Amino acid sequence: MRPVSIRLIGAGLGLYGLRSIPLLGRRAQRHALWQALATVHAEKRARLVLLRGPAGNGKTHLAEWLAERAHEVGGAVVLRASHGPNPGAEDGLPRMMVRHLRCGGLSPQDIRQRTEELLRARKETDPGEWNGLAELMTPGGGTLQTAPERFGFLERYFQRLARQRPVIALLDDVQWGAESLAFARHLLERREESPLPVLLVLTARDEALAERPAEGEALAALLALPGAKVIAVPPLPREDGTTLIQEILGLDGDLAAQVEARTGGNPLFAVQLVGDWVQRGVIQVGETGFVLRPGSRAPIPDDLHQVWVGRVARLLAGQPPEAQEALEIAATLSPFVDREEWEGACRAAGIACPSRLQEELVTGRLALRTEEGWAFVHAMLRESVEQQAHEAGRLAGHHRACAAMLQERRAGGGRGVAERLGRHLLLAGDWEAAVAPLLAGARERRETSDYPAALSLLAERETALHQLGAPAADARWGKGWVLRARIHLHLGELAEVFRWSERAGAESGPDWGGTLSEALRLQGDAARRRGDLDRAAGLYERCIALPDNPHGAAASLWGLADVARQQGRTAQARMLLDRSLLLYLAIGDEHGIADHSLGHADLARQRRDLSMAADLYAQARDRFMALGNRYGVSRGTNGLGDVARMRGDLQAARQGYARSLALLEELRSADAVFPRLNLALIHLAEAHFRDAREIFEDSRQILERQGWGGLLAAVHLGSLACTAHARDWSAWDDHLEQGRAALSTSAAFDPDLAGCAELAARLLARAGQDARAAEAYAIASAQWKGLGDTEGGRRMARVLDGG
């Protein structure tokens, strides 16, 4: 099928700039995109397609073709998110929703009201949903929302949209969109448990990806998931390139041949070059196409950058002198320019923002209007303008102007302002000034569970410190190292926790403030998870001994109490918890006060005072809920599941564990292994040994990879019952050996450890495996004795005595 000619021979050149360029060729790519949408429609599950290739080859054009075609036939609802190298107010998922729900320019109150009205119309009556979505869209909002929470709001909104037809989410230039990549991963990882007919269409530029290792790794991990595929977008084949230049752009003769040779199959280069010639009036309508005007010259630039530079220079010729710098400042901000931010940055630079510049850019087809301002017509145009600023030696000053504008806005708070400020200062070469906001941005990202983004900001901060020549004893290094350690603790990566916290401890000096105490406490937490309880106790005691350290001491006293609880020293654990509470009360730490309730609840559970345990777990859960601490809520909910299971209410226990697991998985917390193991214990209680064994095996692999030796005893003792039921004696012997080793390292006692060993012993006795049964009974007896459980101890004594 030949493309429709739009050479406008009869109409002349006046309308040339108003026509749209149809998508040419790309039949294989179009078929693959349409087939992906059809598969989403049929399977009702999320799928992802990445359009990848060099800049200018038409990736975005392909994505827009799919969106327009699907809209024409009523085949999908389309949402769009764009991204730039310096994230701005117009970038990413929040702006995608602002545009989709038409909330641009509205006040926070109006955004909330409009969101409520729209969601009510879709039969959504939960205020939490419309409030959460509104907060996500509000400029400066979403501060208390974690990334998983934001993804949850978006996923549920997509679910509502997709009730009648699939959703297409176009995520453009994801080499600059770390959060959008994370959201895409969230949807793909849930495609089986939460079916959603959404097609994620991503575009990425090869040359830009090479400079973004973090996003490159995230994209590689994303593409390894089921439902993801890559569609390469190479230069146009020669036949299609010829058709574009002759049939679509309307060039003729030698001029067409020259353009074809120079542009090398890059459609954007060809389209912009001919458009430039039309605007300059160097070509005219010939008999069969456009030809050079007599006496005119049309040298062909070496690349698209030169085309953009020429077009910008001609547009600015009629503008005030400051227009060039104003345009460069816009390019420094983002491909998507917020009018208020642009004007503020220009004021900070000491120049006027020409009132007609935006309109001239739009008229000259170099920009597109948006609700909050305008956008460069293509990311490569922004890069060309930025390159001009760099070559003229003005780029660092522009970044300082943007930073000054953001510094004023930072006083009002809002998610992402600190990191934007830090990055502009970094790009300006103001290393000293960049260090503090980059740390603040990383802390903000950690608090909202954006762990990869937080680590990326810390790496940029370390670049600034290296540029400053900061010595290893500089306290600023330590603040970054302990924050890294905290992030890795959330991720369950214990080796990295020790690496960074030990480094901070080794380099710490007298001016490091609370950094050393934080390093010791983090090491104690990591040692406790490893199951090395004696080492954990020593680290906590060192932290407590440091002067002027109330928060570190309070947290370490809590950790020391948990070590004592696990080792059966319950009276000492109660005393340590109460000391911890006094410190938390003195410093007004509400989260620590709620933690105190959890610690006492664990003690009550261990001594089987289930009524008190239930009251304390509920109290802790409610306190954390009021504080907006979803991690704490998950812990209280998991504890209530334990109480229900120990009371024999397995259905209530299962529901509690499922809620806790969902929260922890949303937070990407490694602690999700706790409710997962508890679900395995329910399977044991219901004699569903195969299901329990599967969970234990999956958990074993995770724990061994993360180095969590403390929980391995539970995995191996739980597996004893499963292998006994299966009469898999070789596996039973292996689990016994490894379980004993884990218990020896930790010297921990827990009712579930005792219960698993006792269940295994009964199954072995029924199978006639008396010697193995005796070994399991001995473990159970030691556990009950260590717990001070006289009833369990007497029961084991009768069995071991042959009674």
Side-chain angles (χ1 to χ4, degrees):
M1 173 179 167
R2 297 283 293 174
V4 178
S5 173
I6 55 166
R7 290 179 292 177
L8 305 179
I9 299 301
L13 294 168
L15 301 178
Y16 189 91
L18 301 179
R19 87 277 183 263
S20 61
I21 303 298
L23 183 62
L24 185 70
R26 306 296 193 196
R27 291 174 180 81
Q29 289 90 343
R30 282 191 277 180
H31 175 75
L33 282 170
W34 197 254
Q35 187 59 47
L37 180 58
T39 304
V40 165
H41 192 279
E43 294 182 348
K44 311 296 185 198
R45 283 181 173 78
R47 297 188 73 83
L48 178 147
V49 173
L50 171 67
L51 298 172
R52 181 171 181 172
N57 277 2
K59 301 177 294 296
T60 301
H61 201 176
L62 262 171
E64 289 291 350
W65 168 84
L66 175 67
E68 291 170 8
R69 179 64 178 148
H71 180 71
E72 286 171 3
V73 301
V77 181
V78 181
L79 294 89
R80 296 170 173 82
S82 303
H83 310 87
N86 302 319
E90 294 286 312
D91 286 42
L93 301 175
R95 296 305 302 178
M96 174 185 77
M97 294 305 301
V98 166
R99 288 188 288 269
H100 174 69
L101 295 178
R102 301 179 185 232
C103 292
L106 299 182
S107 68
Q109 181 178 353
D110 289 339
I111 290 175
R112 196 171 297 270
Q113 181 178 344
R114 177 168 176 77
T115 306
E116 177 181 348
E117 291 171 355
L118 292 171
L119 265 63
R120 279 187 182 276
R122 296 185 180 276
K123 311 300 183 187
E124 176 55 65
T125 59
D126 181 1
E129 287 299 306
W130 62 67
N131 288 338
L133 203 57
E135 184 180 356
L136 184 151
M137 292 187 288
T138 301
T143 307
L144 298 178
Q145 290 181 346
T146 65
E149 285 176 314
R150 294 194 298 277
F151 297 165
F153 287 125
L154 290 172
E155 179 186 0
R156 290 188 291 276
Y157 183 75
F158 279 18
Q159 291 279 10
R160 297 181 200 103
L161 278 185
R163 286 171 184 166
Q164 295 182 335
R165 47 186 174 159
V167 172
I168 296 176
L170 303 185
L171 308 178
D172 204 21
D173 283 326
V174 293
Q175 70 274 359
W176 297 314
E179 182 174 55
S180 290
L181 288 172
F183 175 57
R185 180 166 184 168
H186 169 87
L187 292 183
L188 281 194
E189 287 179 336
R190 290 172 51 77
R191 66 192 301 265
E192 295 301 327
E193 63 183 280
S194 180
L196 171 62
V198 58
L199 177 62
L200 299 153
V201 181
L202 283 58
T203 71
R205 290 165 48 179
D206 287 339
E207 64 275 19
L209 263 178
E211 300 173 357
R212 307 284 294 196
E215 286 83 354
E217 290 178 11
L219 192 54
L222 181 59
L223 292 171
L225 297 173
K229 68 177 293 184
V230 178
I231 297 178
V233 185
L236 282 174
R238 183 170 183 178
E239 178 184 352
D240 290 333
T242 300
T243 302
L244 170 67
I245 291 165
Q246 295 182 3
E247 295 289 331
I248 304 300
L249 302 181
L251 296 187
D252 200 11
D254 290 342
L255 190 59
Q258 292 174 40
V259 171
E260 183 178 347
R262 179 61 59 85
T263 56
N266 186 305
L268 181 64
F269 191 178
V271 169
Q272 292 299 322
L273 176 60
V274 176
D276 180 52
W277 285 344
V278 169
Q279 282 195 333
R280 290 166 54 196
V282 300
I283 60 177
Q284 66 181 16
V285 177
E287 293 183 3
T288 59
F290 296 143
V291 296
L292 276 178
R293 189 179 297 278
S296 296
R297 295 179 63 252
I300 302 178
D302 291 332
D303 56 27
L304 184 55
H305 168 63
Q306 292 184 4
V307 177
W308 291 126
V309 168
R311 291 191 63 184
V312 168
R314 282 185 291 280
L315 181 138
L316 294 178
Q319 291 284 325
E322 61 267 24
Q324 175 71 45
E325 290 192 46
L327 184 61
E328 291 171 359
I329 287 172
T332 306
L333 277 169
S334 173
F336 314 95
V337 183
D338 179 282
R339 180 81 194 185
E340 289 185 8
E341 289 195 351
W342 184 32
E343 291 174 348
C346 286
R347 282 196 301 273
I351 64 172
C353 186
S355 59
R356 292 286 303 165
L357 180 55
Q358 176 181 332
E359 191 60 34
E360 293 291 338
L361 288 166
V362 172
T363 303
R365 302 183 72 79
L366 293 178
L368 302 170
R369 290 187 183 87
T370 67
E371 291 177 326
E372 301 297 331
W374 56 277
F376 286 93
V377 74
H378 196 279
M380 290 184 69
L381 169 58
R382 186 208 66 81
E383 292 165 19
S384 293
V385 174
E386 188 178 50
Q387 185 174 328
Q388 284 184 284
H390 174 70
E391 291 170 353
R394 293 190 291 264
L395 187 56
H398 296 337
H399 279 296
R400 290 189 187 98
C402 293
M405 175 274 296
L406 289 168
Q407 187 68 61
E408 290 182 6
R409 291 199 159 198
R410 191 181 179 191
R415 177 174 163 266
V417 177
E419 69 178 75
R420 289 181 64 200
L421 171 62
R423 282 187 164 130
H424 278 296
L425 290 168
L426 191 72
L427 291 167
D430 294 348
W431 318 116
E432 186 78 37
V435 172
L438 286 172
L439 181 66
R443 284 173 172 162
E444 184 179 283
R445 290 286 192 171
R446 184 201 68 81
E447 289 166 1
T448 56
S449 303
D450 296 334
Y451 301 133
L455 292 172
S456 179
L457 285 166
L458 287 173
E460 293 179 53
R461 179 177 179 272
E462 287 164 8
T463 297
L465 288 171
H466 280 300
Q467 290 289 341
L468 287 169
D474 189 318
R476 291 174 296 182
W477 285 111
K479 292 178 180 178
W481 293 339
V482 295
L483 184 55
R484 277 186 177 272
R486 288 191 72 182
I487 291 167
H488 288 297
L489 188 66
H490 289 304
L491 294 170
E493 298 165 350
L494 301 188
E496 289 297 295
V497 178
F498 281 113
R499 174 190 173 193
W500 293 105
S501 59
E502 287 176 349
R503 188 173 182 181
E507 299 289 351
S508 64
D511 61 338
W512 280 45
T515 300
L516 176 58
S517 67
E518 179 72 357
L520 289 170
R521 183 185 71 80
L522 288 166
Q523 289 176 57
D525 288 346
R528 184 158 52 94
R529 283 166 170 77
R530 272 188 174 175
D532 192 345
L533 299 184
D534 289 339
R535 183 184 179 190
L539 289 162
Y540 288 138
E541 287 168 351
R542 286 177 59 194
C543 181
I544 294 165
L546 292 174
D548 303 321
N549 174 37
H551 186 276
S556 292
L557 283 165
W558 195 101
L560 203 57
D562 196 62
V563 168
R565 177 192 65 79
Q566 291 187 60
Q567 293 183 333
R569 295 178 281 112
T570 55
Q572 186 180 8
R574 283 195 294 274
M575 179 195 68
L576 291 165
L577 281 174
D578 289 340
R579 286 178 59 194
S580 171
L581 176 62
L582 289 175
L583 284 175
Y584 278 132
L585 288 169
I587 60 179
D589 189 328
E590 293 293 332
H591 295 266
I593 295 168
D595 256 339
H596 175 265
S597 297
L598 275 180
H600 273 295
D602 288 341
L603 280 171
R605 167 192 169 275
Q606 186 155 309
R607 65 177 183 267
R608 291 180 171 260
D609 186 344
L610 299 185
S611 293
M612 178 174 284
D615 289 343
L616 289 167
Y617 281 130
Q619 183 182 108
R621 178 202 59 194
D622 294 343
R623 278 182 178 272
F624 281 122
M625 193 175 295
L627 293 167
N629 185 328
R630 288 163 62 85
Y631 174 71
V633 171
S634 74
R635 293 164 65 199
T637 304
N638 182 74
L640 288 169
D642 282 343
V643 171
R645 176 170 56 84
M646 295 173 77
R647 285 172 167 169
D649 188 349
L650 299 185
Q651 182 60 27
R654 181 180 286 105
Q655 291 172 352
Y657 293 147
R659 285 194 295 270
S660 176
L661 179 60
L663 283 170
L664 291 166
E665 285 182 338
E666 281 190 5
L667 295 171
R668 303 178 206 171
S669 171
D671 282 10
V673 70
F674 287 101
R676 193 173 289 119
L677 284 173
N678 286 330
L679 287 169
L681 295 179
I682 288 181
H683 287 311
L684 286 186
E686 295 174 332
H688 297 156
F689 295 104
R690 183 177 298 177
D691 293 334
R693 188 173 185 180
E694 184 177 329
I695 294 176
F696 284 134
E697 179 57 27
D698 290 344
S699 300
R700 180 190 65 78
Q701 294 178 21
I702 294 170
L703 293 169
E704 287 181 350
R705 184 169 64 248
Q706 295 177 333
W708 280 38
L711 282 178
L712 281 173
V715 167
H716 290 301
L717 294 190
S719 297
L720 289 180
C722 301
T723 51
H725 179 264
R727 304 197 173 204
D728 185 348
W729 307 125
S730 175
W732 193 94
D733 291 340
D734 287 342
H735 284 299
L736 176 67
E737 180 180 355
Q738 293 180 68
R740 279 175 169 165
L743 287 172
S744 175
T745 299
S746 66
F749 301 100
D750 188 89
D752 289 328
L753 296 178
C756 286
E758 188 172 343
L759 173 60
R762 291 200 301 269
L763 291 170
L764 289 161
R766 292 173 195 164
Q769 294 288 317
D770 294 342
R772 289 188 171 95
E775 291 178 301
Y777 275 128
I779 292 174
S781 179
Q783 282 290 311
W784 291 126
K785 183 178 179 181
L787 291 166
D789 190 311
T790 54
E791 179 184 342
R794 285 195 296 268
R795 187 168 63 251
M796 293 302 96
R798 288 196 299 271
V799 172
L800 292 172
D801 289 341

